[in-house]
């Protein structure tokens, strides 16, 4: 199998990662010549032990690593055919197209309604009716509407952890991105809240390309269509999830997923 | 890194080998019963069959526990899936051995038809397949498993030959029909055991390499009733 080959027939890759290497300050190399293509409207999971580079890699996809001074990269990432590192690229516009949900839910200390409408307001949408419609559509999309529709103007901080995480997903989809990146979205959630997020990811599949970093292998095998295994900054194996978990090509992958090291 | 799961898998492996050893012994005893017209083994084979049945359920249960408690992946998962299928085949082999000793009991009600040569030969060939399918499992030997699959053709050929021979006997002298039918049933049960050994060898290949070779390795169709 050629690493990075798997993709559904006819679907173009959304991300085409080409020979990507990344160094943190102090010449600490976090990614080593990673090449892979992330398919459209599928869920791709990055797995690997702590420090393998999976979070670094997902943060390259919306240039979040820019926020760390002294980070150096080689290689390229094409997003729908255009380089993410092109000097003329508007990073803010990019992050509208590529939303992200983090490990720790981070709602703004505002009302539920304000949290969801915030991004749209920044984009200049000001009509109350239009915003109401976006808020409802986004909350429904994040499977949260029924739980919060009667208290839209209560503080978002009063929601449970799982609800807050779904609120963050609602906030992300309110600005209609093309891609949603999830960085350990469930690691602070109980199994039921986790199951709701995972169900939601399946529902979102028809409209969004999703990439998830998870240290929970069961989660990767449950939710993803494709799985990439990274180790020491290298992409060891990338393939269809059922193949990778049932019959991996590489011994390193097998050792990791069967718990023989890690 | 030694894992807790490794101990569970080792116990399953040991139980499976014990079950395999019992089944091999039953096939051997069934052959001895035929050749020596020995009725005394019947009860022993029935006892062994009960033990085989018990092991089938015990191993299945251990596999389920390992699955539910560890959510195993990759070769661990393939091992457990293969074992659950292998115990099923071994259990069926045990039933076939019981069928054979029951036929022997019927045969012994009449004088022997002739000295048995082909059936003990077939039995030896089949036992060899059973033993090697299990050896391939223990030694993780794909080449050996593939060889077992190929041998099934030889067994099928011998079975057809026996079928024709017994048919000739029956046509020549209808008084032999009852004995010939029991001999044919024995041959049929041996041929079935070889099919189960082939299944085991296929499961071994799946366990070791993740390849599903069922219905794909070149071998003749399982004989239904061969053409007269």
């Amino acid at each position: 199998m050629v690493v990075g080959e798997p993709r559904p027939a006819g679907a173009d890759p959304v991300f085409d990662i080409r020979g990507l290497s990344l160094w943190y300050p102090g010449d600490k190399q976090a990614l080593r010549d990673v090449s892979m293509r992330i398919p459209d409207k599928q869920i791709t999971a990055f797995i690997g032990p702590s420090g393998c580079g999976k979070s670094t890699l997902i943060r390259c996809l919306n240039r979040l690593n820019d926020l760390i001074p002294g980070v150096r990269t080689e290689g390229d990432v094409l997003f729908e055919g255009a380089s993410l590192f092109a000097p003329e690229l508007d990073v803010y516009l990019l992050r509208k197209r590529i939303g992200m949900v983090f490990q720790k839910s981070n709602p703004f200390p505002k009302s539920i309604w304000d949290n969801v409408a915030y991004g749209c307001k920044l984009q200049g949408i000001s009509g109350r009716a239009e915003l109401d419609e976006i808020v409802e559509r986004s909350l429904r999309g994040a499977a949260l509407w029924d739980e919060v529709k009667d208290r839209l103007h209560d503080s978002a901080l009063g929601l449970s952890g799982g609800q807050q995480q779904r609120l963050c997903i609602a906030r992300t989809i309110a600005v209609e991105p093309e891609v949603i990146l999830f960085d350990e979205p469930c690691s602070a959630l109980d199994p039921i809240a986790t199951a709701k997020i995972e169900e939601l990811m399946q529902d979102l599949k028809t409209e969004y390309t999703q990439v998830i970093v998870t240290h929970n292998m069961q989660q990767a095998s449950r939710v993803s269509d494709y799985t990439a295994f990274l180790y020491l900054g290298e992409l060891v194996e990338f393939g269809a999830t059922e193949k990778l978990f049932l019959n991996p090509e590489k011994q390193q992958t097998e050792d990791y997923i069967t718990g023989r090291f890690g | 890194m030694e894992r807790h799961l490794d101990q569970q898998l080792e116990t399953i492996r040991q139980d499976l080998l014990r079950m395999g050893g019992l089944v091999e012994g039953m096939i051997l005893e069934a052959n001895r019963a035929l050749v020596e017209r020995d009725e005394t083994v019947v009860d022993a084979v029935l006892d062994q069959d009960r033990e085989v049945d018990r092991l089938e359920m015990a191993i299945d249960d251990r596999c389920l526990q390992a699955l539910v408690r560890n959510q195993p992946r990759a070769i661990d998962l393939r091992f457990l899936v293969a074992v659950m299928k292998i115990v099923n085949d071994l259990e069926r082999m045990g039933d076939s051995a019981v069928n054979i000793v029951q036929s022997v009991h019927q045969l012994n009600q009449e004088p022997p038809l002739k000295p048995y040569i082909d059936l003990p030969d077939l039995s030896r060939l089949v036992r060899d397949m059973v033993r090697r399918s299990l050896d391939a499992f223990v030694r993780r030997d794909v080449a050996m498993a593939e060889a077992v699959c190929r041998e099934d053709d030889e067994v099928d050929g011998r079975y057809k030959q026996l079928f024709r021979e017994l048919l000739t006997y029956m046509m020549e002298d209808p008084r032999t029909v009852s004995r010939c039918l029991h001999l044919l049933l024995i041959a049929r049960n041996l041929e079935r055991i070889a099919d189960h050994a082939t299944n085991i060898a296929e499961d071994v290949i799946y366990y070791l390499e993740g390849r599903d070779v069922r219905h794909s390795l070149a071998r003749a169709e399982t004989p239904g009733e061969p053409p007269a």
Side-chain angles (χ1 to χ4, degrees):
Chain A
M1 184 200 68
V2 179
V3 167
E5 262 324 290
R7 55 176 182 157
D12 286 328
V14 167
F15 291 102
D16 189 350
I17 303 170
R18 296 180 171 181
L20 185 65
S21 296
L22 183 145
W23 292 262
Y24 285 119
D27 220 31
K28 279 173 53 189
Q29 190 166 4
L31 294 175
R32 295 167 191 272
D33 195 21
V34 172
S35 293
M36 64 188 294
R37 295 193 287 186
I38 295 175
D40 187 26
K41 293 196 175 51
Q42 301 281 314
I43 301 175
T44 300
F46 296 167
I47 62 166
S50 298
C52 71
K54 57 189 189 295
S55 284
T56 301
L57 183 58
I58 201 173
R59 282 156 188 265
C60 286
L61 301 181
N62 65 350
R63 294 225 352 224
L64 218 55
N65 291 315
D66 289 14
L67 303 176
I68 304 166
V71 165
R72 182 164 63 85
T73 56
E74 272 177 18
D76 206 352
V77 180
L78 304 186
F79 174 51
E80 297 185 341
S83 172
L84 279 185
F85 301 119
E88 68 275 14
L89 181 115
D90 179 337
V91 174
Y92 295 98
L93 196 60
L94 177 78
R95 292 186 191 141
K96 174 191 170 299
R97 294 172 70 192
I98 305 173
M100 192 157 188
V101 176
F102 297 88
Q103 175 172 0
K104 192 173 178 320
S105 54
N106 50 358
F108 307 126
K110 292 169 172 288
S111 74
I112 294 166
W113 190 95
D114 282 327
N115 262 278
V116 182
Y118 192 80
C120 300
K121 283 185 180 169
L122 280 186
Q123 284 172 37
I125 300 170
S126 56
R128 177 73 194 202
E130 189 180 357
L131 286 170
D132 275 341
E133 192 193 312
I134 290 170
V135 167
E136 177 171 345
R137 190 181 63 225
S138 305
L139 286 169
R140 283 189 190 281
L144 190 59
W145 175 253
D146 289 338
E147 291 164 57
V148 301
K149 64 182 181 214
D150 300 323
R151 46 169 170 153
L152 291 174
H153 298 287
D154 291 0
S155 169
L157 302 179
L159 297 172
S160 72
Q163 289 172 327
Q164 288 191 10
Q165 198 61 307
R166 277 179 284 146
L167 180 66
C168 291
I169 294 171
R171 191 174 66 187
T172 301
I173 62 183
V175 297
E176 299 185 335
E178 291 150 64
V179 178
I180 308 176
L181 308 176
F182 295 89
D183 191 355
E184 300 275 12
C186 301
S187 53
L189 302 184
D190 70 33
I192 291 170
T194 297
K196 283 185 182 162
I197 301 282
E198 290 177 1
E199 284 301 316
L200 177 56
M201 290 181 74
Q202 298 304 324
D203 294 342
L204 295 173
K205 246 175 81 171
T206 51
E207 286 183 64
Y208 306 96
T209 299
Q210 297 171 82
V211 182
I212 177 171
V213 163
T214 176
H215 58 218
N216 179 337
M217 272 184 279
Q218 260 88 277
Q219 178 166 59
S221 62
R222 281 192 302 262
V223 302
S224 71
D225 302 293
Y226 296 95
T227 299
F229 168 56
L230 289 101
Y231 186 59
L232 299 176
E234 283 180 31
L235 178 63
V236 176
E237 185 162 349
F238 178 39
T241 295
E242 59 272 23
K243 167 87 169 78
L244 191 124
F245 283 101
L246 193 55
N247 191 19
E249 298 279 329
K250 301 282 171 62
Q251 188 63 41
Q252 268 184 320
T253 313
E254 171 136 329
D255 288 346
Y256 180 67
I257 63 174
T258 58
R260 287 185 168 83
F261 82 82
Chain B
M1 188 171 75
E2 168 80 357
R3 307 165 305 163
H4 184 60
L5 176 63
D6 290 327
Q7 294 168 18
Q8 297 174 39
L9 299 184
E10 185 53 31
T11 307
I12 290 167
R13 195 191 318 271
Q14 297 293 343
D15 280 353
L16 184 80
L17 291 182
R18 206 161 94 71
M19 185 177 176
L22 272 170
V23 169
E24 280 180 56
M26 288 168 73
I27 304 165
L28 184 65
E29 289 290 279
N31 184 60
R32 199 164 68 79
L34 172 73
V35 175
E36 300 177 8
R37 296 174 65 82
D38 181 356
E39 294 271 326
T40 60
V41 299
V42 174
D43 284 344
V45 169
L46 286 174
D47 280 348
Q48 285 167 326
D49 189 49
R50 275 188 285 275
E51 177 63 4
V52 163
D53 290 352
R54 193 192 65 76
L55 276 168
E56 180 198 22
M57 295 201 293
I59 294 169
D60 263 347
D61 190 49
R62 279 189 200 283
C63 287
L64 276 175
Q65 283 190 32
L67 284 168
V68 76
R69 294 171 74 102
N70 303 281
Q71 296 95 44
R73 288 171 283 265
I75 197 162
D76 299 329
L77 179 57
R78 301 200 308 269
F79 172 90
L80 290 166
V81 170
V83 166
M84 292 183 82
K85 296 168 88 172
I86 289 172
V87 292
N88 185 43
D89 279 305
L90 286 174
E91 191 274 330
R92 300 288 298 276
M93 286 181 185
D95 290 347
S96 284
V98 168
N99 292 343
I100 291 172
V101 293
Q102 284 167 346
S103 285
V104 168
H105 173 71
Q106 294 300 320
L107 277 170
N108 287 352
Q109 312 307 311
E110 295 180 61
L113 188 65
K114 58 161 200 153
Y116 303 128
I117 295 169
D118 291 335
L119 269 178
D121 264 2
L122 181 61
S123 175
R124 198 173 308 116
L125 195 62
V126 168
R127 279 201 311 277
D128 191 52
M129 283 176 71
V130 174
R131 184 177 49 74
R132 293 199 305 140
S133 69
L134 293 167
D135 277 358
F137 175 80
V138 177
R139 297 183 198 168
R140 304 183 174 200
D141 187 338
V142 171
M144 188 185 274
E146 285 171 340
V148 171
C149 295
R150 285 191 297 273
E151 260 171 66
D152 196 40
D153 286 348
E154 171 71 16
V155 169
D156 290 346
R158 301 263 191 122
Y159 171 70
K160 285 180 191 173
Q161 199 182 320
L162 266 159
F163 183 96
R164 281 191 293 270
E165 196 186 325
L166 290 166
L167 197 63
T168 314
Y169 265 84
M170 288 188 274
M171 289 193 297
E172 282 174 1
D173 181 358
R175 284 171 303 173
T176 66
V177 164
S178 161
R179 280 169 289 173
C180 283
L181 279 178
H182 282 297
L183 289 169
L184 187 61
L185 279 174
I186 290 171
R188 179 66 165 166
N189 275 293
L190 287 170
E191 187 269 327
R192 277 282 161 80
I193 291 172
D195 286 345
H196 290 300
T198 307
N199 291 349
I200 290 175
E202 289 168 346
D203 290 334
V204 170
I205 294 169
Y206 175 75
Y207 149 50
L208 294 172
E209 295 194 337
R211 277 192 293 138
D212 186 349
V213 297
R214 290 174 302 174
H215 315 299
S216 64
L217 290 184
R219 52 189 177 100
E221 286 297 300
T222 305
E225 294 318 308

